[in-house]
Each structure stands twice: as structure tokens, then as C-alpha cells.
Amino acid sequence: MVLRRTLRVDVERVTRVVYVVGTELSINLNRSAPPSSKFFSVKSSSAVQCSIQPPPQETRLQSPLPFKGNLVMLISMSQASQSENESKLSVRYYGEKKEVLGNAILHLTAVEISLDVDADRDGKVERNNPNKNSWKWGKDGYGAILLVNCDTEQSYWKKPDLEKDSISKVSDLKDMSPMVLRTRGPAKLPEGYKLTMHISKSDAESIRVFRSGSSGDDDNTTSGSFLFNLFVETHPLVLGSNVLSEEVPYEGGDSKWNYYVEGLRFLDRDFDGSVRIHLSLLEPATRGIPDTPIFTDTVLFTVAPWIMTPNTLKPIEVFFCKTSDNNKVLQQVQKFVAEVGCKLRICPQYINRGDRWIQDQMEFGYVDSPHHGFPVVLDSPRDRELAEFPHTELLGPDFGYVTRTPGKEEVTKLDSFGNLEVSPPVTVNGKNYPFGRIIIGVAFPTAETGRNMTQVVQDFLRAQKVQDPVALFSDWLTVGHVDEFMTFVPAPDRKGFRLLLASPDAAYKLFKGLQNDGHGGARMFEGVKDVDPQSVDEILEDEDLQLQNNYVQNCIDWNRDVLKRELGLEDADIIDVPILFTTHDKKADAYYPDMVNMIVLGKDLAIPKPFGPKVNGVCALETEVRSLLEGLGLTCMFIDDFATYHIWHGELHCGSNVRREPFKEKWWNMVM
């Protein structure tokens, strides 16, 4: 739609105006016509195109035409002027006998002005894209994308770059979105006219804008080629929280200025991710009266969401803590990771200070745009010995950091990120979730009291849009984490994965089968220090244990139904893993090492060793799990974590963390 501007002209006076190519000037001829006007004619320079609405029968505007009705003249020009007041237009008014009553004269200076962004999402800034002020999801969509500048370019500066108000290295520019101001026209604007760039006060909380030192600088940045680790001397801050509007250069001729837009906020409950930057041409007014905007060009940016990575994506790096008592487990984990061919990063004791639960402290994700992307760690509200690890050890160049502070909200065990998982991609009732769905644990919906994940974290997760969260009931557990009863593993068929659910029913079925086959005397926990072995017969005879597990199975089945409904799963997509639980103070813990709480590295699984009853010298629980998983092409390695993890209400997944490759799919191509 062409931008139309109403212009007033006066008889016997020259009106000088700056015209922006691509717009229309609208002149109501009745308003400027002398009394008794019956005819009019129009003459103009060849560069000026004009038309009359409604159209007269006579197309030659140079000859007197009848002055009938409420006539409007539309004026446009196709190219910029070489000099000021270069083009002319005059309207002559006539009386009844075609005598001249007066002339309205217009002198025009045409300029081209555009504020440009990468609206077609190809990594380059195109000229005057018609969709630069809008957003559309999907592969045929459009709209520029903005990254939150939450990494740091300085190894000694342990704060995200967004907390600085200047650019110190060229490498920081790649975290920002390019924006270009293009102008074409005479050597200078007519006296008093000026260009200003401006943002709203609310958007100033979310973005900053920097400008290159001189016109034409940094052309290579729009193509993704950057000179790393060189200091930038002249990239002044143009717009921010303290500067909402600033005059910008006009150099004449065919010129351009490069700008860099920095994101300061992730999407959240009070921020939908949309920000706009405006460029206005101001017309001078008389003294004491503000200048008038006669043209405004606007671009829209949408902030990239934080995206989690599921177990089905390729692992890059495994994190594990070294403590005073876990040397044997660590050795087994090192062997497992080495065999997979993955990198292992060990957090030493002087950093973790005895806190082994690195899964609970943080969750890995990433941000992405057509011009750049990088991993971002989400730091949990959990405030224990590992609290500083994500910030001090991970934040760095091209490694971002984000957290949410609960304020007055109570932080519980449900705020640890063993209670935060994400499914592989799913389709639910025809709606595609190409990045899966986030899964969190909360209190039962009808519970008057109970533990919940803090609202600020839930709000943050929901605001990211592309991985619409699913809430499960996890408060029935002592620790309260969803990773205690579920996980996902890759599979070659169906949906490309299986959901593993802990199942007391499956455990009792297995134990009853052992008893029927004459193995009721086989004992669990043999060889485990300070734990009394329990026979299959004893477990099956324990009525109180059976009642406890009936309750646990009910809780898991409730979640099973939610997961089937919210992830579009069928029973064939779910594998029941035999796990028993015990309850204390109305909360449940795994009776033996919880095998669903595993480390998943592609097709290789590190599973807590369950110390189940042995049949012919082989653990029956391990045999059952192998039979369930190895047919999917998965490899199972059982690791003894009993003394250093299980007895402290956690397992291998709780004590590890995995950074994975991002999705190849682009989030902006998702159909919402």
C-alpha cells in the first residue's frame, strides 16, 4: 500500500516540499482554489507524475478542465533529484470566462530513503523489502530476527555483552542484527529538514542500536564475514534506554550507513519479542513549534527464542562432577563417553564444592538466526554449591547465559532442572512441533498445597513459543523431578523415538514371572554394601510395598495419559521399564537404582545398575531392559552408581548434563 501524504498549497505562493520516492502527495484542489474558480490546469516537470481523482474526461491536464466536485491531485516521482527544488508543478485556476484567477506553485526535491533489514531471512540485508515491518511464520514467511546478545566477547568480563553499553570488539557485531540506512538525493536536504531514528520507550528496554563509524563501513558484516578480536574504535551507541531519538546522517548522492541492533531481553510473560525501529524525515516548522514528521519508515525485529535440545540430537559434550567419593563412577562414565566418541568435561571439586547434581543446576539450549547462532545455558534458581558454574565456567565468546530470578517466590526442588526436559519432534492432532515440547513437573492440579516450579521460570519457558510446555504431576516424588520416571531414547521407526516410563506394574510382572519359573529365592542387592538382600519372594509378599507401588503406578499412569494426549503418542510409542518405588512421608523414591534416569548419547545408553535378582548369574532386570531396548539398535552399559548417587535420591542423569547439536530445522519456518 502506497503511503499517501496530504499537502496544502496556496495561490500566488511557492510551496517547497521534500518528496520521498515511493509515496504519493495528495492535494485537495478545492482547498487552494480561489473563490469562483470554474476551471483549472496543471503543468509539471517531466520527472513529476500527477493524476486527478475522480479522473476527468479530458486527459490533457495542461488545458483548462472543468472544476467539478471535490477534486484531488495525486503526485509521485520515480527517482531522486540531483539538486534541491529541481522539479516544478503549477496549478492554474480560471474563472467563468477562463480568465486566470491565480497560480499555486510547487517546487519538489525528491529523495529516496529506506531503513532496511534482513526481512527475507537469507542472512543479507535487502533493499526496501515490503515485508520489513511485519512477521509471518513458515517457510514462505518473512520478518527480521534479533538475537539476545547474552554471550561475552571478553574472557575476563564475566557478564553478558548486553550489560555493556559499548562495542569493544568487531566479533561482537556478529551477535547483532544488521540494519542499513540507504539514502539517495541531492548533496544536502533543503534547510531545516532532517532525518531522525527513534524507538518507543517500551522497546528501549529490549534493544540497543549502534552505528558504524562512517558511511559504507562494515559492508562485509552483512555477508557473515567478520574480523574477529579486533577492537572497534567508532561504533557509537545511537539508540537505547537513555536515547530514544537521534538525528542520523544524510550525506547526499547514493549513500548508506550500517547499523547493528542488539537484543537485550528474551521473550517473557511481559514481552512477545516484537520490537520496532523507526526512521522519520522531519519538516521544519516556525520557531517554537516542533518539527513535523512527513515520512516514517519502520522495521520490525522478532527476538529469537531459547530452544532446548532433546535426547535424539547428536551429543557434543558431556558434563560430570568429580567428588571425593565418586571416582569409580567417574571412571565408568569416562569409558562410556570415550567409546561413544564424545567430549567429556569434568567439573573439579574446587568448583563444584561437593555438589554432584549438575543436571539440576542448568539446562542447555541455543539461539539461532539467519546470520548467526550459539549455545545458551539456562541457569536454574537452585542456589547450591554449583550455582556459579554456568555463569563463571560457561559464559564466554559464542556461549550465552540466561537465568530467571524468582524474587519472593519460594524455590523448591521442583526448580532444579532434572524437572525440565523436552520431547523429540512430535505431531499432535495435525499440529506439528518440529522442536518437540518442553516438559516440566508441578503439583497435582487439584492440590491445595504442594511444590511447583517457580512461576517466573514457567513464564519464561512458555513465552519461547516454539516448544509449548506440557505440565506433568511430579510432586508425588521426594525430589519431584520428571527425569525420575521418564526419558526419551532414539528409535529407527515410528516417530523416531520411544518414551521410557518407569513402571511398577512391569516390575511386578517380571518378578512374578521369575517366581513362577522357580527363581523366587533369587535376591536383589547382592554385593551392595550396607544393604540387606531381598528375595523375589520377599518383595512379592510385602503387601505394604505393593500398596505403595499401586499409588506410584496411578501417578505415572496419570502422566502417561497426559503425555499420550499432549505428544500425540500411542502405547506402541511407550516402553514400560520395570522400576519399583518406596514411599516415605507420602513421597516416593526408587527402591533400587532408577534405570530410566540414564545418560543418552545417540544410540548408546549409560544406565544405573539395578542390582536385580540374578538368574544363571545374570541380573534379570538388566536382561529385561536389554530385551526392551537393544532391538531398537540401542547399546546398554550399566554403571554402578548405588553408593554415590542412588542413596542420595539421584542417578546418572541427575549427575550429568549433555550439550547437543542444535536442530537443523529453523525455528522461523515453523507453522504456528
Side-chain angles (χ1 to χ4, degrees):
M1 182 177 178
V2 176
L3 179 66
R4 185 172 292 176
R5 172 192 166 205
T6 298
L7 181 67
R8 187 178 70 251
V9 295
D10 295 320
V11 173
E12 306 307 334
R13 187 174 74 86
V14 175
T15 301
R16 294 177 174 84
V17 65
V18 173
Y19 165 82
V20 179
V21 175
T23 66
E24 282 185 336
L25 296 177
S26 174
I27 299 176
N28 188 309
L29 296 178
N30 296 47
R31 293 174 60 183
S32 60
S36 304
S37 294
K38 300 299 181 181
F39 299 92
F40 74 99
S41 64
V42 180
K43 292 183 179 180
S44 65
S45 303
S46 59
V48 180
Q49 296 85 46
C50 59
S51 63
I52 304 298
Q53 300 294 329
Q57 292 182 344
E58 174 62 54
T59 58
R60 285 179 54 82
L61 301 182
Q62 294 88 345
S63 302
L65 301 172
F67 201 89
K68 295 180 180 179
N70 195 24
L71 298 178
V72 174
M73 181 167 60
L74 300 178
I75 300 171
S76 63
M77 299 176 70
S78 60
Q79 60 186 27
S81 302
Q82 297 293 317
S83 59
E84 294 180 51
N85 305 315
E86 183 179 73
S87 298
K88 311 290 191 295
L89 181 145
S90 65
V91 181
R92 179 167 290 181
Y93 296 96
Y94 306 88
E96 185 74 36
K97 298 180 178 181
K98 298 187 178 179
E99 70 277 16
V100 176
L101 301 180
N103 293 288
I105 300 173
L106 188 64
H107 289 183
L108 297 112
T109 303
V111 296
E112 293 182 21
I113 301 170
S114 67
L115 190 61
D116 295 325
V117 293
D118 177 21
D120 61 3
R121 305 170 184 161
D122 65 353
K124 298 180 180 180
V125 176
E126 63 274 7
R127 181 186 288 270
N128 219 12
N129 189 304
N131 299 312
K132 62 186 178 181
N133 185 25
S134 54
W135 174 269
K136 180 183 176 182
W137 292 88
K139 292 184 178 180
D140 63 341
Y142 42 76
I145 293 169
L146 184 65
L147 295 177
V148 177
N149 193 10
C150 60
D151 70 341
T152 179
E153 302 304 314
Q154 306 286 356
S155 58
Y156 58 85
W157 173 276
K158 279 301 179 181
K159 291 183 179 180
D161 286 333
L162 57 83
E163 296 187 19
K164 300 183 297 183
D165 59 3
S166 63
I167 300 174
S168 58
K169 287 187 176 182
V170 173
S171 56
D172 198 21
L173 298 180
K174 71 183 184 299
D175 300 329
M176 304 182 190
S177 294
M179 180 175 70
V180 177
L181 166 60
R182 293 184 172 97
T183 59
R184 183 180 291 146
K188 63 183 183 68
L189 293 172
E191 184 178 358
Y193 284 87
K194 60 185 178 182
L195 288 171
T196 64
M197 190 177 291
H198 51 102
I199 54 178
S200 68
K201 188 174 182 180
S202 59
D203 282 350
E205 300 176 2
S206 306
I207 57 171
R208 281 197 294 248
V209 180
F210 297 88
R211 175 171 54 83
S212 62
S214 58
S215 64
D217 279 2
D218 306 322
D219 285 350
N220 59 345
T221 58
T222 59
S223 64
S225 173
F226 292 91
L227 301 175
F228 291 94
N229 302 321
L230 296 177
F231 284 94
V232 177
E233 296 180 357
T234 53
H235 279 74
L237 176 65
V238 176
L239 298 174
S241 59
N242 297 321
V243 185
L244 300 182
S245 178
E246 182 163 303
E247 184 175 352
V248 297
Y250 174 86
E251 289 193 333
D254 192 353
S255 63
K256 75 172 189 175
W257 289 82
N258 290 302
Y259 291 81
Y260 304 94
V261 185
E262 177 184 41
L264 304 179
R265 300 175 62 198
F266 276 97
L267 292 81
D268 216 323
R269 182 177 183 176
D270 59 348
F271 178 49
D272 68 358
S274 299
V275 291
R276 285 181 167 83
I277 301 173
H278 312 277
L279 177 71
S280 293
L281 176 63
L282 301 184
E283 185 177 61
T286 57
R287 181 174 297 182
I289 298 176
D291 295 339
T292 305
I294 60 172
F295 169 79
T296 297
D297 203 13
T298 300
V299 295
L300 176 141
F301 286 95
T302 295
V303 173
W306 179 79
I307 301 174
M308 286 179 63
T309 52
N311 286 351
T312 48
L313 290 176
K314 184 178 179 179
I316 298 174
E317 189 173 17
V318 178
F319 291 77
F320 209 84
C321 290
K322 173 72 175 76
T323 62
S324 60
D325 61 351
N326 75 343
N327 190 54
K328 289 184 178 180
V329 177
L330 180 55
Q331 288 178 357
Q332 294 178 81
V333 170
Q334 286 176 307
K335 179 182 178 183
F336 169 68
V337 174
E339 290 177 353
V340 173
C342 195
K343 180 181 178 182
L344 177 63
R345 182 165 174 177
I346 299 173
C347 177
Q349 289 177 261
Y350 73 89
I351 292 177
N352 66 56
R353 296 176 293 169
D355 186 355
R356 69 197 67 205
W357 310 114
I358 198 165
Q359 177 69 223
D360 290 341
Q361 187 56 54
M362 60 191 185
E363 188 66 55
F364 287 111
Y366 69 96
V367 294
D368 194 20
S369 75
H371 66 276
H372 190 48
F374 52 86
V376 177
V377 62
L378 174 64
D379 193 1
S380 78
R382 173 184 186 268
D383 188 18
R384 290 183 58 179
E385 290 81 359
L386 274 168
E388 297 301 316
F389 179 84
H391 185 265
T392 60
E393 300 300 318
L394 298 179
L395 174 63
D398 277 347
F399 208 122
Y401 171 90
V402 63
T403 190
R404 284 295 176 266
T405 304
K408 294 182 180 180
E409 285 190 89
E410 180 186 2
V411 176
T412 70
K413 290 181 178 180
L414 271 66
D415 290 296
S416 296
F417 285 167
N419 197 35
L420 173 60
E421 297 297 323
V422 64
S423 79
V426 292
T427 299
V428 186
N429 296 325
K431 179 172 176 55
N432 189 28
Y433 295 91
F435 305 95
R437 298 189 68 178
I438 286 172
I439 296 170
I440 63 172
V442 297
F444 197 74
T446 59
E448 295 183 4
T449 61
R451 301 167 298 173
N452 273 298
M453 182 179 284
T454 50
Q455 196 61 46
V456 289
V457 175
Q458 291 194 53
D459 290 342
F460 171 82
L461 297 172
R462 294 186 188 284
Q464 307 313 305
K465 300 178 184 177
V466 298
Q467 295 177 306
D468 186 28
V470 175
L472 299 182
F473 170 40
S474 67
D475 192 34
W476 56 274
L477 290 151
T478 300
V479 176
H481 296 175
V482 293
D483 70 349
E484 296 178 76
F485 63 87
M486 61 163 290
T487 194
F488 297 95
V489 295
D493 57 358
R494 297 189 63 82
K495 296 177 173 62
F497 68 89
R498 292 290 191 276
L499 166 64
L500 307 188
L501 285 179
S503 173
D505 281 356
Y508 275 107
K509 181 178 180 180
L510 174 64
F511 290 156
K512 288 175 183 177
L514 293 175
Q515 188 182 59
N516 291 340
D517 292 339
H519 301 293
R523 300 193 303 173
M524 296 197 64
F525 308 128
E526 284 191 333
V528 179
K529 186 179 179 180
D530 299 327
V531 177
D532 294 330
Q534 297 288 311
S535 71
V536 170
D537 289 338
E538 289 173 326
I539 291 171
L540 293 177
E541 290 169 2
D542 190 334
E543 294 182 0
D544 188 48
L545 182 64
Q546 176 75 66
L547 291 173
Q548 294 172 27
N549 278 279
N550 287 344
Y551 164 72
V552 168
Q553 188 66 63
N554 287 339
C555 295
I556 294 174
D557 284 345
W558 192 91
N559 288 312
R560 182 191 188 98
D561 291 338
V562 173
L563 288 164
K564 287 172 65 176
R565 182 173 62 250
E566 298 296 336
L567 300 184
L569 303 182
E570 300 173 4
D571 284 320
D573 300 312
I574 302 172
I575 294 176
D576 292 313
V577 180
I579 308 291
L580 290 180
F581 291 79
T582 59
T583 61
H584 305 278
D585 298 325
K586 299 181 181 180
K587 302 293 183 184
D589 296 288
Y591 180 58
Y592 46 82
D594 188 345
M595 292 181 287
V596 297
N597 195 272
M598 63 178 67
I599 304 173
V600 181
L601 302 182
K603 295 181 179 180
D604 295 280
L605 314 177
I607 305 173
K609 186 175 181 63
F611 290 95
K614 291 183 178 181
V615 176
N616 299 322
V618 180
C619 173
L621 287 168
E622 291 185 23
T623 299
E624 178 68 9
V625 169
R626 288 186 191 277
S627 70
L628 293 171
L629 301 180
E630 290 182 347
L632 299 172
L634 303 173
T635 300
C636 302
M637 178 179 179
F638 290 90
I639 294 177
D640 177 7
D641 71 349
F642 201 104
T644 51
Y645 290 87
H646 174 69
I647 65 171
W648 302 110
H649 309 291
E651 311 288 356
L652 293 175
H653 185 263
C654 304
S656 63
N657 217 312
V658 182
R659 182 167 69 90
R660 303 178 187 274
E661 288 185 351
F663 285 97
K664 290 182 172 59
E665 179 78 16
K666 300 302 181 183
W667 62 267
W668 52 88
N669 290 334
M670 182 176 177
V671 177
M672 297 298 285

